[in-house]
Amino acid sequence: QVQLAASGGGLVQAGGSLRLSCAVSGRTFSSYSMGWFRQSPGKERVFVAAISKSGGSTYYADSVKGRFTISRDNAESTLYLQMTSLKPEDTAVYYCAATKANYELGYGSSYDYWGQGTQVTVSS
């Protein structure tokens, strides 16, 4: 069906930048809205950012507004998350997800497919 592979995680100092990628295969990429979620140790998974099917609309959690940018390249079937001004509280496993829905993109329950996640660690 649809498979997602997140990559690009790693260790970075506070204030630094990192770009995550999510390669999508199995269906028409442009048919899916896409999102990024993250889960920190001892906490539940939370919404980070989402992007519409065409890439024309983006949505962000308040905690990352102005620092993170979500984008997509439909020709390459790839989702991106550009993270800047990273903080220790950004440390988490980051997951990419896909859904045929056009709404409710801030909720994990709206997504049909999930990647395995990539670890981001921000040192202080």
Side-chain angles (χ1 to χ4, degrees):
Q1 294 178 318
V2 176
Q3 292 187 325
L4 296 81
S7 62
L11 176 65
V12 64
Q13 290 185 315
S17 300
L18 200 63
R19 176 184 286 190
L20 306 183
S21 299
C22 178
V24 181
S25 64
R27 299 288 185 183
T28 302
F29 181 59
S30 61
S31 296
Y32 294 89
S33 300
M34 300 294 298
W36 288 98
F37 292 76
R38 68 188 183 189
Q39 186 169 25
S40 301
K43 299 181 179 180
E44 293 188 358
R45 182 188 63 215
V46 298
F47 169 74
V48 175
I51 189 167
S52 62
K53 296 173 181 180
S54 68
S57 299
T58 57
Y59 313 89
Y60 298 93
D62 288 343
S63 60
V64 305
K65 285 181 179 178
R67 299 190 299 119
F68 291 11
T69 302
I70 187 171
S71 62
R72 65 192 295 161
D73 186 339
N74 283 352
E76 297 295 327
S77 298
T78 304
L79 174 74
Y80 301 98
L81 184 67
Q82 179 66 52
M83 305 183 293
T84 62
S85 301
L86 284 162
K87 305 175 180 179
E89 50 262 45
D90 295 318
T91 295
V93 176
Y94 283 71
Y95 300 90
C96 58
T99 177
K100 292 191 289 185
N102 295 306
Y103 310 105
E104 307 292 345
L105 301 183
Y107 300 89
S109 59
S110 296
Y111 292 81
D112 306 301
Y113 305 98
W114 294 82
Q116 291 299 310
T118 184
Q119 176 71 50
V120 172
T121 302
V122 183
S123 62
S124 61

